[in-house]
Amino acid sequence: MKVRNLLLSASAVLATFTLSACGKNSSSASKENQTLHLMQTGEIMSLDTANQANISQWNVLENSMEGLYRANKAGNPAPALATEVVKPTNHGKRYTFNLRKDAKWSNGDPVTAQDFVASWRRQTSPSAQSGYSYIFTGVKNANKVNEGKLPVNKLGVKALNKHTLQVDLEYPMPYFTRMMVMPAFFPQSQAALKKFGNKYGTSSDKMYYDGAFKVRGWTGSNLSWSLEKNDNYFDSKNVKLKKMTMQVVKDANTAHQLFQQGDLDDATITGTTAQGLQKNKNLMHLDRAGVYYLQLNQAKGHPLSNSNLRKAVSLVLDKDHLAEKVLSNGSKAAHTFVAPKLAKDPTTGKDFATEMKPQETYNVKKAQELWAKGLKETGKKSVNLTYYTDDQTINKNVGQFVQSQLENKLKGANVEVHSVPDKNAQSNVAKGNFDMHYALWLADYADPMSDFDVMQTNNSQNYGKYSSKAYDSYVDHAKSQDAARQQNYWKNMRSAQGQLSKDNAVLPLYNMTESHLVKSNLKGVLWHPVGEVDYTHAYFE
């Protein structure tokens, strides 16, 4: 998922805390009232997954909504609203889920199979605004529904009865079970959809929740809200927290201060703040299956539509310096669009990202030669590049790093950095008003397909307008006749990553590692490398 851009992995990061509290003593207070204080690094745009899809939204929904499955301690799908993890029939193309009969919405209504049908139809309809409808590709008729070629009732999902959901696929999807923990596949209350209409999810009181907590106090634009225990949740007896508070904190130094003051129990830190706290007893590193990268606008008329200019930009950036000196939070340089440890290639026994690392990743002299060649091909002596990022402090620092590297090493390169609120950045990116866009893609499930989908020619998330018939063919084959043939599937995965690297379709910068300051008595958190952190069964001891 892109930040705006988010679920499973083969294993979860297990963190053992022998931490000591700092600042005022809030640990005992947290234990007494079981209130967890959290931060988000960006705003919520909407709680409706048919309207928006970003990390802050999914972090909230992960802890307030429930789907068919939930990732367990080992990071594997476990029954949630579904009574069991089911095996497909019809040669891997049909899934039949039996739903819990005691599951309820926060207003007391039962959760039904039709609530899933309503949600999936809304998210695949042509009117969906999230840019995430493509995630349903493979569900029967999903793409045709999204393109307006078929009505939504032709989508391959139906309620056989109140508590039985049937899903039909167009081809076997080995990763389908893992996808079912994603918020995109969560149900939506039909009663709430009817009551709130086009206001559904625009504020916390305009939707119902079927998860462990209910969102309260989000007006649609404010930067703080809370999640209160949902007594109608079917497993509420095992939910120990009474409340979670969340606030948007974009600056790492501010996050550190709030942690010291006892106003945050889990604070994310980066940059110089993280660098100065590497020996702090409260610090933990969480490796995530995400890659921070530059989306390069390759549309006609934009400088980076020239392949030599793209290659030059790729080779001129000292990514190790960026990770070690600018970020200083444990992050490592990235060289593929797929993050390390996301998936092992079963046909080779190797980590997929490691085996696909390009031979050449940093060569200033060659970059300068390619840059000069690209300028000559475009008939220009200089190039102005518009760079967009949001206004988080660390993201501004990354923008300044890229600007400095290009302008100091490539003759005639001028980079104009726009560090603006996320909504502003996304608006310009969606309109194509950029040359480089700093973004994050966090894998939704433990398979390279979670990354490769978004780089296909017609994918709604492909704002850089990358287009390769060869690449599209590799991904299409992996999603059709080769899906159930392991050797062929992974051959296509390797070919797809090789094509992205050859074309410099995107520019990977660094792999996602989060530095967290965590209170020593916070237990029960599931730190998933893929997707969102699960706090639903957290508690203070």
Side-chain angles (χ1 to χ4, degrees), residues 9 11-15 73 284-287 525-529:
S9 76
S11 63
V13 173
L14 301 179
K73 186 183 297 185
M284 64 157 283
H285 292 303
L286 174 60
D287 291 327
V525 181
L526 298 184
W527 305 94
H528 296 309

Side-chain angles (χ1 to χ4, degrees), residues 378-398:
T378 58
K380 297 180 179 180
K381 293 184 178 180
S382 63
V383 168
N384 297 318
L385 299 173
T386 303
Y387 179 112
Y388 267 97
T389 181
D390 67 27
D391 54 356
Q392 294 182 52
T393 300
I394 188 61
N395 297 351
K396 293 179 182 178
N397 294 343
V398 173

Side-chain angles (χ1 to χ4, degrees), residues 467-528:
S467 182
S468 162
K469 290 182 179 179
Y471 177 81
D472 289 346
S473 177
Y474 297 137
V475 177
D476 285 341
H477 276 84
K479 291 194 292 187
S480 54
Q481 61 262 40
D482 290 341
R485 303 185 184 109
Q486 189 178 76
Q487 289 286 342
N488 291 352
Y489 180 82
W490 286 94
K491 181 180 179 180
N492 282 307
M493 292 293 94
R494 293 191 297 272
S495 296
Q497 178 57 66
Q499 193 69 44
L500 290 181
S501 298
K502 177 183 177 182
D503 296 339
N504 295 284
V506 294
L507 204 168
L509 293 176
Y510 59 97
N511 297 310
M512 185 181 185
T513 297
E514 291 180 348
S515 292
H516 288 252
L517 293 172
V518 185
K519 288 295 169 64
S520 60
N521 63 336
L522 177 61
K523 307 295 180 181
V525 181
L526 298 184
W527 305 94
H528 296 309

Side-chain angles (χ1 to χ4, degrees), residues 207-257:
M207 61 184 288
Y208 300 147
Y209 307 88
D210 69 334
F213 295 88
K214 302 177 290 187
V215 186
R216 293 290 180 261
W218 182 66
T219 64
S221 59
N222 57 321
L223 301 182
S224 63
W225 56 89
S226 64
L227 285 76
E228 300 174 2
K229 186 175 179 178
N230 179 12
D231 291 333
N232 281 326
Y233 180 53
F234 68 83
D235 195 33
S236 63
K237 65 180 182 298
N238 290 316
V239 176
K240 299 179 181 180
L241 291 176
K242 293 181 180 179
K243 184 178 182 179
M244 286 188 276
T245 67
M246 291 187 178
Q247 59 178 305
V248 176
V249 182
K250 298 183 179 181
D251 179 74
N253 187 51
T254 301
H256 178 217
Q257 291 176 352

Side-chain angles (χ1 to χ4, degrees), residues 40-113:
Q40 298 295 323
T41 57
E43 301 92 333
I44 301 175
M45 305 292 187
S46 171
L47 289 172
D48 179 7
T49 50
N51 187 19
Q52 287 285 336
N54 68 23
I55 285 184
S56 295
Q57 175 204 44
W58 282 32
N59 285 340
V60 172
L61 295 178
E62 172 74 11
N63 296 286
S64 61
M65 297 289 281
E66 195 86 328
L68 293 167
Y69 303 143
R70 179 170 286 274
N72 63 16
K73 186 183 297 185
N76 295 317
L81 293 183
T83 58
E84 63 180 346
V85 177
V86 303
K87 294 182 179 180
T89 57
N90 189 26
H91 307 290
K93 295 191 292 184
R94 172 168 288 180
Y95 289 77
T96 304
F97 303 95
N98 293 312
L99 305 183
R100 302 181 63 99
K101 295 181 180 179
D102 57 348
K104 295 181 180 179
W105 291 102
S106 52
N107 72 330
D109 289 346
V111 180
T112 69

Side-chain angles (χ1 to χ4, degrees), residues 99-101 110-115 159-165:
L99 305 183
R100 302 181 63 99
K101 295 181 180 179
V111 180
T112 69
Q114 195 61 39
D115 292 325
L160 299 183
N161 56 49
K162 192 173 183 178
H163 291 105
T164 308
L165 180 72

